[in-house]
Amino acid sequence: MTEVLIAIFGITMLYVSSTSRVEAYIRVLAVQGVILFLMVLLDHAHLEVLNLVFLGAETLLFKAIIIPVFLMFTVRKNNIQREAEPFMPSFYSVLITTAIFAFGFLIAFWASSNASNVRPLYFGVSIATIITGLFIIISRKKIITHVMGYIMIENGIFMLAMSVVGEMPMIVNLGVLLDLFAAIYLLGLFVTKINSTFDELHIDSLTNLRD
Amino acid sequence: MIPIILFLAPALAMALFIFRSKKLNAVVICLYSFTHLACSVTLLVHPASYGRYFQVEPLNLFFLVVLSVVLAGISVYNADFTLKSAVPARKSTYYSAAVLVFSAAISGVVLGANLGMMWVCLETTTITGAYLIYYKTGKEPLEAAWKYMFICSIGIAFAFVGLIFLSLAFTGSQPSLFFTDINAHAPVFNKFWLKMSFVFMAIGFGTKAGLAPVHTWLPDAYSEAPSPVSALLSAALLNSELLIIIRILKIMKIADLGGFASAFLITMGVLSVFVAAVYIIRVGNYKRMLAYSSIENMGLITISAAIGGPAAFAAVLHIAAHAFSKASLFMTSGNILKRYYTREINGVTGLLKADPKAGWSWIAGFILLCGIPPSPIFLSEFIMIRTMFGRGMWWLAVPVMLLVTIVIYGMASTMFKMSFGNPQKGISQERFNILNYAGQFVFIAVLCLLGIYMPKAISDLITAAASLM
């Protein structure tokens, strides 16, 4: 069951790289939040009750509901155009993401031959998600897509942390709390102010400081 | 003593919100910084740990003392900055509270005995630091704060991946992030995971330490932040990140992967010095110039730490010397900005005539920073180069020396252009009070003392710290 969820998670990342609509990204983030929630539920054997409740509430409320709603609100309020304005056609984007996934699995199988405590699917998709998140940040022009790319990296890290949850439950909580705090902080403090300071939420307006 | 350092600041920060007075803000930050200094000195005499999470040993004790001295010096400068600033009292309170929490979080990183705890404190420094950089508000500070926040949060996320890999490296024992446990189990770690973990942590923590190629936030943040904050970022924050890098290097050495780790860190270090050398000769803004110099020095310290042996002593000494001289220079740069109303190098001439105190501390700071005797950096760079040649690493020593020479040339031409000549019209004729200069003078005096005659107590402290690297 977990394997199916992980596979769906990987597909959502491929979808993100193929589409250029901001709303689609937000929907993908919501879906990823639900997937992570289900993964936490399925992993209940490794977690204490309190920990399980915390992680479940965190993934469902924050990752699946609050962040997407908040992002949608920001998009509507600031009249952000729907187009995410990638630097390259989506065909190449999908090609690169596929290569990243292949690379992720390559590392995963290499790792599993080196160490016994690795689950290749878990590990491969997590690593590929983290790298794809970075790729989204690099290849899209809007500041809000940067924030979304960052949240995708966080989701990948959350999944990676879940893969070691049996050995060290604390580490998931550690990652969750502050990474989410940072993401909310990014959105709340900056995005709204950037919009009133700059004409558009565009990284081209962040190039005044240079040598 | 440790609880006072860690928890007094948040308590005071909350108290500030009740009164909301600029005078109180200024006084409270000074009060905290000098209490911090008193606590560090007490810890030096009677080392005492606080629970398992915060412990002192000679290595972080040295970092703590450097941090205390830097905080004390900057707090005096900050007092005048806070009193004279034109912002409303409410905003001044937010600023002061952020400075207090920022200082306490850096102390938490320095004192931490658990990698997870250090990571949490690091996150706190990122969030409060972003607010401090955005203090002046407007387009450029916003851009700088955004870049700082975004790049550093990705760095911190990478460091967290490193922590996950580290917990996978434990074989046959319960994973733990306490350094005592990590160091005890390091010899039997799974080498593959440990290497992966090191790479992610070195890049992640290296982002905040300002090492190339992940240094890009640093020049923007330093040039846009108010001067006391630039001084804090450069002299206090960077050192604490270096401490983490030194500690993970230690883990790698115990696990018999020292060669791999050293090679990785030396590459990052040389790249940092290279980036600084390329940019510093054509930079047009004197605060950015100081920022690139920070990147250069972080690179040199990382190289020294990675080489180890006698160079470990050099690394520790360099950390203190760089912190004091850079804090002094950033505070002076604030004085220059107040007098000339510009951060452009071309807009500043005749500093020595316009403001002799600032001019001389500007030149003295430069001499001390660039390793010209009597600077302790002369000693540390000499030991570093000597160790390289001693080990037959001339292929490393020669390029590093060349690059450092380029940096010194770039800084010297700028510094002298700004200091000599006649001041242009339209600059401020105001006489700044002694609070604006006291910190710089103390730092310069301490550095000259360290360079000419190092008391035995201090050299013992440095030796003890270096022996743990």
Side-chain angles (χ1 to χ4, degrees):
Chain A
M1 185 60 195
T2 314
E3 278 75 16
V4 178
L5 289 175
I6 294 169
I8 299 173
F9 194 98
I11 293 167
T12 60
M13 289 309 289
L14 281 173
Y15 176 64
V16 165
S17 66
S18 72
T19 181
S20 59
R21 287 172 66 90
V22 173
E23 279 99 339
Y25 289 23
I26 297 173
R27 251 174 255 130
V28 161
L29 285 178
V31 170
Q32 289 187 349
V34 173
I35 293 175
L36 290 177
F37 171 67
L38 293 174
M39 279 167 70
V40 170
L41 285 191
L42 288 170
D43 229 351
H44 61 88
H46 292 305
L47 296 164
E48 291 167 28
V49 178
L50 205 64
N51 214 342
L52 183 70
V53 172
F54 168 69
L55 288 177
E58 195 274 328
T59 44
L60 191 65
L61 288 179
F62 270 113
K63 284 191 191 289
I65 298 171
I66 294 179
I67 285 191
V69 168
F70 189 65
L71 280 170
M72 201 61 103
F73 172 74
T74 315
V75 168
R76 300 250 161 87
K77 188 184 134 203
N78 295 329
N79 294 322
I80 296 171
Q81 285 171 1
R82 286 170 173 181
E83 178 72 22
E85 297 177 71
F87 284 112
M88 58 183 75
S90 53
F91 172 71
Y92 293 109
S93 187
V94 174
L95 219 59
I96 290 171
T97 313
T98 316
I100 290 171
F101 268 79
F103 172 73
F105 284 113
L106 209 69
I107 288 194
F109 284 111
W110 182 40
S112 60
S113 63
N114 272 290
S116 54
N117 50 356
V118 178
R119 290 178 266 181
L121 188 66
Y122 237 124
F123 188 76
V125 173
S126 315
I127 289 287
T129 304
I130 293 169
I131 302 175
T132 311
L134 278 179
F135 170 67
I136 300 273
I137 290 174
I138 296 166
S139 64
R140 306 290 192 269
K141 272 187 191 168
K142 280 202 164 69
I143 287 168
I144 196 152
T145 47
H146 284 198
V147 175
M148 292 173 190
Y150 180 72
I151 297 170
M152 284 167 200
I153 294 178
E154 266 182 20
N155 287 348
I157 290 173
F158 186 89
M159 209 152 73
L160 195 65
M162 286 296 293
S163 72
V164 299
V165 73
E167 288 155 80
M168 202 171 180
M170 259 322 283
I171 205 154
V172 189
N173 300 353
L174 202 63
V176 156
L177 255 177
L178 281 163
D179 266 350
L180 264 173
F181 188 30
I184 292 165
Y185 184 74
L186 289 175
L187 292 164
L189 197 80
F190 286 123
V191 176
T192 47
K193 278 189 184 163
I194 277 185
N195 197 45
S196 56
T197 315
F198 300 106
D199 298 336
E200 212 191 339
L201 288 151
H202 220 273
I203 52 157
D204 291 349
S205 49
L206 289 183
T207 49
N208 288 312
L209 297 176
R210 60 174 138 190
D211 295 302
Chain B
M1 290 299 123
I2 294 178
I4 298 178
I5 290 177
L6 294 177
F7 302 123
L8 182 64
L12 287 174
M14 273 183 241
L16 287 183
F17 282 104
I18 300 172
F19 298 102
R20 294 195 179 181
S21 126
K22 278 190 191 176
K23 267 185 196 149
L24 189 74
N25 291 343
V27 171
V28 161
I29 289 182
C30 287
L31 189 76
Y32 173 70
S33 302
F34 283 95
T35 314
H36 195 290
L37 185 60
C39 289
S40 310
V41 173
T42 316
L43 281 172
L44 205 58
V45 184
H46 304 288
S49 292
Y50 175 63
R52 276 196 79 193
Y53 282 93
F54 297 103
Q55 298 192 332
V56 288
E57 19 111 17
L59 181 60
N60 66 3
L61 209 48
F62 180 80
F63 278 79
L64 186 70
V65 173
V66 172
L67 173 65
S68 293
V69 177
V70 165
L71 282 182
I74 295 174
S75 72
V76 174
Y77 182 86
N78 182 68
D80 191 61
F81 174 81
T82 309
L83 290 175
K84 298 273 168 66
S85 67
V87 298
R90 180 167 153 273
K91 184 162 183 194
S92 167
T93 308
Y94 278 113
Y95 166 81
S96 305
V99 168
L100 284 171
V101 176
F102 186 71
S103 313
I106 295 175
S107 314
V109 176
V110 170
L111 288 167
N114 178 307
L115 208 43
M117 179 55 80
M118 288 167 106
W119 185 83
V120 172
C121 293
L122 203 67
E123 181 91 40
T124 317
T125 63
T126 310
I127 294 169
T128 44
Y131 178 75
L132 290 174
I133 292 168
Y134 184 56
Y135 173 74
K136 282 197 245 171
T137 66
K139 219 168 174 176
E140 278 87 17
L142 180 61
E143 183 183 337
W146 171 264
K147 283 181 181 167
Y148 168 76
M149 184 82 191
F150 202 76
I151 296 170
C152 287
S153 59
I154 289 176
I156 286 172
F158 266 65
F160 188 72
V161 175
L163 294 189
I164 296 174
F165 288 160
L166 188 66
S167 72
L168 283 171
F170 277 83
T171 47
S173 56
Q174 183 65 27
S176 153
L177 292 176
F178 286 99
F179 283 111
T180 46
D181 295 339
I182 297 173
N183 289 344
H185 293 291
V188 294
F189 269 171
N190 181 322
K191 298 275 188 291
F192 173 80
W193 285 122
L194 190 57
K195 273 190 204 169
M196 290 278 276
S197 161
F198 175 79
V199 170
F200 273 90
M201 284 202 278
I203 292 174
F205 293 125
T207 308
K208 285 217 75 180
L211 292 174
V214 279
H215 65 282
T216 42
W217 60 272
L218 197 145
D220 296 345
Y222 284 18
S223 65
E224 291 307 320
S227 297
V229 175
S230 307
L232 268 180
L233 285 168
S234 165
L237 181 68
L238 294 189
N239 288 352
S240 65
E241 321 306 325
L242 275 179
L243 178 64
I244 304 184
I245 290 178
I246 288 170
R247 284 184 188 277
I248 57 178
L249 177 66
K250 172 84 175 171
I251 298 170
M252 294 294 278
K253 279 183 182 160
I254 295 175
D256 203 21
L257 287 170
F260 170 77
S262 298
F264 194 89
L265 288 180
I266 287 175
T267 312
M268 281 180 101
V270 173
L271 207 57
S272 308
V273 182
F274 175 75
V275 165
V278 168
Y279 280 97
I280 214 162
I281 43 177
R282 61 189 193 95
V283 70
N285 170 327
Y286 53 85
K287 283 184 88 175
R288 286 182 86 86
M289 177 188 73
L290 296 179
Y292 280 114
S293 156
S294 283
I295 296 174
E296 178 229 349
N297 282 289
M298 287 302 119
L300 290 176
I301 295 165
T302 311
I303 295 171
S304 297
I307 294 171
F313 181 89
V316 177
L317 182 61
H318 202 136
I319 282 167
H322 167 255
F324 296 157
S325 55
K326 193 49 71 61
S328 151
L329 280 172
F330 266 119
M331 291 193 281
T332 309
S333 81
N335 292 345
I336 299 173
L337 181 59
K338 269 194 285 186
R339 194 167 294 286
Y340 287 84
Y341 313 112
T342 176
R343 285 191 290 260
E344 294 303 314
I345 290 166
N346 289 334
V348 181
T349 49
L351 182 61
L352 278 173
K353 279 183 188 158
D355 188 345
K357 277 183 284 202
W360 285 113
S361 51
W362 191 236
I363 290 179
F366 158 73
I367 288 173
L368 291 167
L369 181 65
C370 286
I372 297 164
S375 166
I377 289 184
F378 172 75
L379 195 60
S380 70
E381 284 180 356
F382 180 77
I383 298 173
M384 179 183 80
I385 299 289
R386 181 75 192 79
T387 316
M388 285 179 189
F389 276 118
R391 301 209 177 155
M393 296 162 91
W394 55 267
W395 45 268
L396 180 64
V398 172
V400 167
M401 282 196 290
L402 265 174
L403 292 171
V404 169
T405 313
I406 295 174
V407 171
I408 294 176
Y409 164 75
M411 285 189 75
S413 59
T414 310
M415 289 278 182
F416 292 134
K417 199 157 64 189
M418 288 167 68
S419 301
F420 296 108
N422 288 313
Q424 62 266 57
K425 291 195 176 67
I427 61 170
S428 162
Q429 299 296 336
E430 190 191 345
R431 281 176 64 87
F432 302 141
N433 62 25
I434 188 66
L435 293 179
N436 284 298
Y437 304 102
Q440 291 93 304
F441 291 161
V442 171
F443 286 144
I444 290 167
V446 168
L447 282 174
C448 290
L449 187 74
L450 281 180
I452 296 165
Y453 164 73
M454 191 182 292
K456 180 138 190 326
I458 293 177
S459 86
D460 284 350
L461 188 63
I462 297 177
T463 314
S467 69
L468 284 177
M469 279 167 71

